[in-house]
Amino acid sequence: MTAFAAIDTTVTVKFYNDTVDPDVQLWTTRTVEYDSAVPVSKPYLPGGYTDPLGGAASVYDAIFAAAEQIRALPDEDPEIEDPPVVGWDANPAYGDPGGYIEAIGDFVTWNDYDYDPITGHHISEGEGWVCTVIPDGDDPYDPIQYLTAEALEDGMEIIFRFQSYRYEWDD
């Protein structure tokens, strides 16, 4: 007798690089499947922190799994040799603590920050990963919380873009 997992959540993940060509995918679209009755392993979760989704798969988990699938493919260009580099923000400026993806392959986030105390002007610029989620049959949205707290829904499409950014603000 063979037992099969009861897959009830299937999502697609697409990776883009807006700094080169925003309409061309970096890697092949990946499909990620989960059985909601089976808790997802979350090795990025540091000791002392509770999984905000109680073991359910998050958008973050799907992106990580898709990157790992791509890494297993020998002919993908650009090639991913190492697992995604991840981090945890225990003290965010707003919202709850959560995990982030710092790098996938050669696409590594970076940020320069400058502040002029005389004018009170702040500038933050760099390159980083930005996520858009498209629920099945619904309008796209950009999550305002860490993706580790963003629950997956069946049929969801996840767009993960590496892009340049520049934010300016005053005190």
Side-chain angles (χ1 to χ4, degrees):
M1 180 194 297
T2 304
F4 293 96
I7 302 302
D8 57 11
T9 304
T10 302
V11 299
T12 58
V13 180
K14 297 178 179 180
F15 298 91
Y16 290 89
N17 182 0
D18 278 356
T19 61
V20 176
D21 186 342
D23 298 323
V24 177
Q25 287 190 52
L26 281 171
W27 300 289
T28 307
T29 298
R30 303 307 307 160
T31 300
V32 182
E33 299 177 331
Y34 292 97
D35 174 355
S36 63
V38 178
V40 176
S41 172
K42 306 206 178 200
Y44 55 81
L45 189 66
Y49 287 93
T50 303
D51 177 12
L53 297 179
S58 68
V59 168
Y60 180 99
D61 295 314
I63 293 167
F64 191 91
E68 284 293 275
Q69 287 178 14
I70 293 165
R71 190 165 77 97
L73 300 173
D75 296 330
E76 283 293 315
D77 182 30
E79 187 175 318
I80 301 174
E81 293 181 9
D82 299 315
V85 177
V86 301
W88 186 265
D89 185 354
N91 298 302
Y94 58 90
D96 296 323
Y100 57 89
I101 296 175
E102 185 175 309
I104 299 175
D106 292 334
F107 296 89
V108 180
T109 61
W110 64 272
N111 180 53
D112 286 330
Y113 171 77
D114 192 28
Y115 173 69
D116 183 339
I118 296 171
T119 64
H121 190 72
H122 303 259
I123 298 174
S124 178
E125 62 184 332
E127 290 181 317
W129 291 100
V130 177
C131 185
T132 298
V133 174
I134 306 169
D136 190 21
D138 209 346
D139 293 330
Y141 68 93
D142 298 330
I144 58 172
Q145 61 187 343
Y146 277 110
L147 300 177
T148 49
E150 192 73 28
L152 286 183
E153 297 174 15
D154 189 46
M156 184 178 272
E157 182 177 330
I158 300 165
I159 308 295
F160 206 49
R161 295 183 184 280
F162 190 77
Q163 65 184 41
S164 298
Y165 62 86
R166 179 180 173 94
Y167 301 110
E168 296 185 36
W169 69 97
D170 293 319
D171 287 337

